[in-house]
């Protein structure tokens, strides 16, 4: 029995040694007041977070877990785009189909712009064209706003329901088309739809990230895969398994890693090595942590979530437990 016990210990030690230690861990939980649901968040060049939270946007300093300010009286916030060169921010409000323009220093709303479509969801500032693009989920279109004048200058019809978008900062804007399982390309100079491509076998893409140095687009899809689209060949080059309920994707330029934030409470980490990709780790986060942003300077990942009551009969979404809205801060070791 003693020999058997020693053998078991030996194999346990070998097994433990064979399992690589996690490279990622939750280093902080930032508790934020308010009990509304959330959508996108973004980080500015100082590392401050702009978080959509029901009918407000909260600006958070992760260093001391403090709320620096709140932009109120919005109506169903989805996304926040920052034009730091103009000292402006742009908020998409889905319920009233408005974009609120605010001053980055005072956080005061300086203008409200009615979009030309319905339910603006994702929003993007493109420094190449100095334009803001809203992606209108209720009308399959993009409203283009001149970031300097805050005036609508174009409406671009899209081939389906748009989701998240990215810019190459050289004249092209790419957006996921969720209901058609496509990626559409917008010409940011001529303000028109350029091309669109299928990303099959990916289905219902939501979050989108990019590595323009290698010409790759990463779409997280609701059939549990991330597609790697090659802009040179204009084809899906690879697919990788991710968790369920993804809604956010990000690319860390310094670490050359791609992330998928999954509503099932996991963060999929994908390592990039030239034209090859592999899932390097699945990090436990918290149920509901489906959107995210990455601070490119310190490589920390931020994911909003909350605690929920069990789903009641007839409910589509579970109710949120009051006082549990939290931003998870995940760090590579």
């Amino acid at each position: 029995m003693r020999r058997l016990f020693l053998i078991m210990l030996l194999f346990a030690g070998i097994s433990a040694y064979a399992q690589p230690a996690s490279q990622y861990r939750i280093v902080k939980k930032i508790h934020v007041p308010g009990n509304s649901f959330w959508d996108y968040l973004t980080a500015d060049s100082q590392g401050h977070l702009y978080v959509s939270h029901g009918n407000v946007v909260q600006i958070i300093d992760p260093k001391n877990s403090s709320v620096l300010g709140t932009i109120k009286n919005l109506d169903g916030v989805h996304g926040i785009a920052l034009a730091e060169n103009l000292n402006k921010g742009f908020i998409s409000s889905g319920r009233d189909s408005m974009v609120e323009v605010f001053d980055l220093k005072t956080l005061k709303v300086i203008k409200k712009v009615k979009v030309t479509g319905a339910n603006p969801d994702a929003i993007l500032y493109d420094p190449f064209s100095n334009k803001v693009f809203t992606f209108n989920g209720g009308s399959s279109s993009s409203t283009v706003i001149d970031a300097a004048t805050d005036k609508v200058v174009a409406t671009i019809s899209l081939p389906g329901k748009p989701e998240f978008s990215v810019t190459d900062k050289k004249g092209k804007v790419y957006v996921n088309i969720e209901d058609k399982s496509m990626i559409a390309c917008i010409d940011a100079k001529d303000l028109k739809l350029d091309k669109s491509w299928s990303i099959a076998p990916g289905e219902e893409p939501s979050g989108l990230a990019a590595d323009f140095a290698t010409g790759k687009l990463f779409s997280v899809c609701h059939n549990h895969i991330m597609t790697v689209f090659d802009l040179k060949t204009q084809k899906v080059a690879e697919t990788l398994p991710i968790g369920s309920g993804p809604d956010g994707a990000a690319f860390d330029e310094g670490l050359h890693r791609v992330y998928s934030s999954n509503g099932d409470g996991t963060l999929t980490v994908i390592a990039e090595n030239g034209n090859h990709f592999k899932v390097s780790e699945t990090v436990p986060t918290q149920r509901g942590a489906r959107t995210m942003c990455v601070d490119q300077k310190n490589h920390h990942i931020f994911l909003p979530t909350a605690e929920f009551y069990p789903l009641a009969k007839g409910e589509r979404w579970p109710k949120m437990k009051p006082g549990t809205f939290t931003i998870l801060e995940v760090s590579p070791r």
Side-chain angles (χ1 to χ4, degrees):
M1 290 295 294
R2 181 182 178 187
R3 181 179 296 175
L4 179 61
F5 179 69
L6 290 173
I7 291 172
M8 289 174 66
L9 282 178
L10 175 63
F11 275 100
I14 292 172
S15 176
Y17 181 80
Q19 297 290 330
S22 172
Q23 293 186 7
Y24 291 79
R25 62 191 177 95
I26 296 173
V27 294
K28 189 183 293 183
K29 293 185 177 182
I30 305 169
H31 295 282
V32 181
N35 300 313
S36 299
F37 278 82
W38 62 93
D39 203 350
Y40 299 113
L41 73 164
T42 191
D44 66 15
S45 60
Q46 301 177 68
H48 298 151
L49 304 176
Y50 293 72
V51 183
S52 67
H53 195 185
N55 294 326
V56 304
V57 168
Q58 290 159 308
I59 297 84
I60 298 167
D61 185 350
K63 293 180 180 178
N64 54 25
S65 302
S66 62
V67 177
L68 301 177
T70 302
I71 303 171
K72 302 179 180 179
N73 301 318
L74 309 173
D75 197 1
V77 179
H78 284 293
I80 307 101
L82 305 178
E84 293 187 71
N85 59 316
L86 299 174
N87 188 43
K88 287 181 179 180
F90 301 83
I91 301 166
S92 61
S93 293
R95 291 196 189 100
D96 59 1
S97 296
M98 300 289 288
V99 168
E100 284 81 5
V101 186
F102 67 96
D103 185 293
L104 289 179
K105 293 180 180 177
T106 66
L107 302 181
K108 291 183 178 180
V109 173
I110 55 180
K111 193 166 185 178
K112 293 192 175 187
V113 181
K114 185 73 174 179
V115 304
T116 53
N119 188 23
D121 189 348
I123 187 168
L124 172 80
Y125 170 66
D126 173 44
F128 173 85
S129 61
N130 204 33
K131 302 292 191 297
V132 173
F133 295 78
T134 73
F135 295 96
N136 310 318
S139 56
S140 299
S141 65
S142 173
T143 300
V144 187
I145 300 169
D146 187 303
T149 65
D150 304 326
K151 294 181 178 179
V152 174
V153 294
T155 302
I156 303 170
S157 295
L158 298 171
K161 181 178 180 293
E163 265 287 343
F164 204 73
S165 61
V166 292
T167 172
D168 68 357
K169 301 178 183 178
K170 294 180 179 180
K172 301 295 183 185
V173 171
Y174 301 90
V175 57
N176 276 335
I177 304 299
E178 185 179 32
D179 57 344
K180 300 292 178 63
S181 300
M182 302 170 70
I183 291 177
C185 174
I186 293 172
D187 187 314
K189 183 179 180 180
D190 296 332
L191 301 181
K192 64 180 183 180
L193 180 66
D194 186 13
K195 299 176 181 177
S196 56
W197 308 278
S198 169
I199 57 166
E203 298 176 1
E204 297 181 56
S206 51
L208 180 66
D211 177 12
F212 289 111
T214 61
K216 301 294 191 300
L217 299 176
F218 310 97
S219 297
V220 294
C221 303
H222 279 259
N223 58 335
H224 302 186
I225 64 172
M226 175 188 285
T227 63
V228 181
F229 187 84
D230 191 319
L231 287 170
K232 295 177 183 177
T233 64
Q234 300 185 6
K235 294 180 180 179
V236 173
E238 198 168 348
T239 62
L240 298 140
I242 59 174
S244 63
D247 202 21
F251 177 70
D252 188 305
E253 299 170 1
L255 298 180
H256 295 279
R257 292 172 186 168
V258 193
Y259 304 111
S260 172
S261 52
N262 312 310
D264 62 6
T266 62
L267 174 71
T268 307
V269 181
I270 293 172
E272 180 186 50
N273 183 12
N275 285 323
H276 300 288
F277 301 87
K278 68 174 183 177
V279 176
S280 63
E281 189 173 343
T282 300
V283 183
T285 54
Q286 186 176 319
R287 182 188 173 203
R290 59 184 177 79
T291 58
M292 64 193 251
C293 71
V294 174
D295 187 323
Q296 297 289 344
K297 291 183 178 179
N298 65 12
H299 310 293
H300 286 204
I301 304 156
F302 298 92
L303 308 100
T305 190
E307 295 178 15
F308 304 92
Y309 292 109
L311 190 66
K313 186 177 180 180
E315 285 183 341
R316 185 181 177 187
W317 306 106
K319 292 180 179 178
M320 180 183 187
K321 293 182 180 180
T324 65
F325 184 59
T326 303
I327 309 294
L328 306 179
E329 182 174 353
V330 176
S331 170
R333 293 176 185 256

